[in-house]
Amino acid sequence: MFLRLGDPPSPIPEPIAPLLLNYIAARDNMNTATNRASRRLFPGRRAGRPCRPDHLSALLREIGIPAAAACGAAIRQQLLEMPAPIVADAFGYHDKTTARLLNEGGGTWTRYAPGEHGRSPSSSTSPATRDS
């Protein structure tokens, strides 16, 4: 089973897959004619639209999952695995915010230099000098 959050789709491990299939079979907002065939995991009240983030956050709170704390924990975990500027760019955070979170969490990416790292130094063009 795969879940498409982007490309490529993410595999869902076996202990979670049956839970997800049960959820899909009993999703909310599927009674209206416009949503009956929705492929969205969290369909909204309007056809073709996802559930609003504030509504999803409220649903998570109802079952005891603190969404804000979970989001913070997820970002801190990413900071342990990737440089702060990359995490900031990927999640739309300011780079100073991710740098602060990195320092608070004791991350090891403090010496990362942001910028284009795809080119090798020998392939960069430098001004030519000519002896006369």
Side-chain angles (χ1 to χ4, degrees):
M1 176 178 202
F2 290 89
L3 177 65
R4 184 178 298 276
L5 300 173
D7 283 323
S10 301
I12 303 298
E14 185 54 38
I16 304 299
L19 295 173
L20 193 55
L21 289 171
N22 287 339
Y23 166 77
I24 290 169
R27 288 179 290 175
D28 287 340
N29 297 334
M30 300 304 287
N31 294 330
T32 62
T34 55
N35 274 344
R36 288 192 190 276
S38 177
R39 294 187 57 184
R40 294 193 180 271
L41 187 56
F42 301 105
R45 294 179 188 250
R46 295 186 181 190
R49 302 294 301 165
C51 180
R52 290 187 347 254
D54 59 327
H55 180 68
L56 186 57
S57 181
L59 291 173
L60 289 171
R61 263 193 319 274
E62 282 178 21
I63 62 171
I65 299 173
C71 181
I75 289 170
R76 284 180 175 83
Q77 180 61 40
Q78 290 299 313
L79 287 168
L80 294 175
E81 299 174 13
M82 294 187 292
I86 301 295
V87 174
D89 189 45
F91 293 107
Y93 277 75
H94 192 277
D95 59 342
K96 289 184 180 182
T97 302
T98 55
R100 180 180 52 78
L101 292 171
L102 174 72
N103 289 334
E104 289 172 3
T108 58
W109 290 100
T110 56
R111 295 178 184 234
Y112 176 77
E116 185 177 336
H117 298 285
R119 296 185 323 197
S120 67
S122 62
S123 66
S124 63
T125 57
S126 59
T129 57
R130 196 176 276 173
D131 292 335
S132 37

